[in-house]
C-alpha cells in the first residue's frame, strides 16, 4: 500500500489520560501577557483552537495543544504547546506565526475542494473520476469525498494557511489520497 499526502501533518503524543477541562482563562491571560516572549503581536492570536488536551498523572500536569487560526482557517503547523500545573502555565513551546494579518493576501480559495482533488490526481498521474461523491462537509475548511478510482480510503480535503519561503502565508488545500495498490 502506498500512501501519498501532498501536505502531510503528523503529530505524535505520549500516552496520557484524555479529559476535558477548561483552561481558556489561563490561555487567554498567557497570550495577553506573553506576546514578547512568543514573538507575536496581540492580534496574531485573536483566533485559535484547542486541538488536543491531555492530563498526565505523572507530574500531575495538563498538556494543551493550540493551533493558530485566521478568519476561521487554521495556520499550518502554527502551534502553541502548553504544560499547565496547579492551574498555572509552567512551560510553553511555540511555533506561532507573527504578523499574520500583513502576510496573508487572500482567504478565499481559488479552487473548490473537488478541483483540489483533481489537481492532486493530475500531479500524481492518476485518472480522476469527475463524478466523485461528496460524503461529508464538516465546514468550509474540511470535506470528505468517496475514494473513487484513485484512493483506497475516502479522500479528506482540508483548507490551511501555509507560511512559505518568501515570508507570505498562502491559502492551500491539503489533499489526502491513499493510492490504490497497483502491485508496483
Amino acid at each position: 500500500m502506498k500512501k501519498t499526502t501532498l501536505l502531510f501533518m503528523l503529530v505524535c503524543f505520549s500516552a496520557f489520560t484524555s479529559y476535558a477541562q477548561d483552561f481558556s482563562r489561563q490561555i487567554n491571560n498567557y497570550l495577553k501577557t506573553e506576546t514578547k516572549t512568543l514573538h507575536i503581536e496581540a492580534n496574531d492570536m485573536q483566533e485559535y483552537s484547542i486541538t488536543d488536551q491531555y492530563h498526565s498523572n505523572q507530574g500531575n500536569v495538563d498538556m494543551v495543544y493550540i493551533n493558530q487560526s485566521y478568519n476561521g482557517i487554521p495556520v499550518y503547523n502554527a502551534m502553541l504547546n502548553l504544560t499547565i500545573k496547579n492551574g498555572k502555565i509552567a512551560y510553553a513551546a511555540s511555533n506561532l506565526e507573527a504578523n499574520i494579518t500583513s502576510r496573508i493576501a487572500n482567504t478565499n480559495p481559488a479552487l473548490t475542494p473537488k478541483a483540489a482533488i483533481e489537481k492532486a490526481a493530475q500531479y500524481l498521474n492518476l485518472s480522476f473520476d469527475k463524478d466523485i461523491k461528496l460524503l461529508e462537509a464538516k465546514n468550509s475548511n474540511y470535506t470528505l469525498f468517496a475514494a473513487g478510482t484513485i484512493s483506497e480510503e475516502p479522500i479528506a480535503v482540508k483548507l490551511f494557511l501555509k507560511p512559505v519561503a518568501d515570508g507570505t502565508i498562502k491559502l492551500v488545500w491539503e489533499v489526502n489520497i491513499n493510492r490504490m495498490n497497483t502491485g508496483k
Side-chain angles (χ1 to χ4, degrees):
M1 180 185 329
K2 197 175 203 182
K3 285 210 177 229
T4 301
T5 303
L6 294 182
L7 185 58
F8 184 74
M9 192 169 13
L10 176 64
V11 180
C12 297
F13 297 104
S14 300
F16 291 103
T17 306
S18 179
Y19 78 114
Q21 185 172 342
D22 185 9
F23 291 110
S24 56
R25 183 179 53 79
Q26 291 95 327
I27 293 167
N28 289 332
N29 287 340
Y30 183 79
L31 291 171
K32 285 178 189 170
T33 61
E34 298 298 326
T35 54
K36 285 186 180 168
T37 304
L38 297 170
H39 307 287
I40 61 170
E41 300 296 323
N43 64 348
D44 288 328
M45 285 303 289
Q46 287 183 358
E47 289 182 50
Y48 64 86
S49 60
I50 297 175
T51 58
D52 288 295
Q53 180 175 321
Y54 301 92
H55 178 76
S56 173
N57 291 328
Q58 183 179 8
N60 194 30
V61 295
D62 294 284
M63 312 297 273
V64 182
Y65 301 88
I66 298 168
N67 193 176
Q68 186 177 20
S69 299
Y70 179 79
N71 281 354
I73 304 167
V75 180
Y76 183 77
N77 206 27
M79 304 295 292
L80 176 63
N81 305 332
L82 300 171
T83 302
I84 302 173
K85 185 170 178 94
N86 299 325
K88 296 187 185 332
I89 301 201
Y91 176 78
S94 171
N95 192 28
L96 299 175
E97 292 295 328
N99 305 312
I100 60 174
T101 304
S102 65
R103 295 170 57 204
I104 297 170
N106 186 12
T107 57
N108 295 315
L111 296 175
T112 65
K114 188 174 182 180
I117 296 172
E118 184 173 11
K119 290 279 188 192
Q122 287 172 355
Y123 178 80
L124 297 169
N125 293 319
L126 302 172
S127 60
F128 177 69
D129 178 6
K130 291 189 185 286
D131 294 326
I132 194 166
K133 180 181 173 191
L134 175 66
L135 298 176
E136 181 179 0
K138 290 187 178 181
N139 55 48
S140 60
N141 299 340
Y142 177 84
T143 53
L144 190 65
F145 286 85
T149 58
I150 61 173
S151 183
E152 289 185 351
E153 298 173 3
I155 302 167
V157 183
K158 300 175 191 172
L159 189 64
F160 285 101
L161 288 162
K162 174 119 175 48
V164 294
D166 68 4
T168 61
I169 300 176
K170 305 280 186 190
L171 198 58
V172 298
W173 287 109
E174 174 188 74
V175 179
N176 291 299
I177 297 173
N178 183 4
R179 292 197 286 183
M180 301 294 249
N181 188 354
T182 60
K184 294 181 182 178

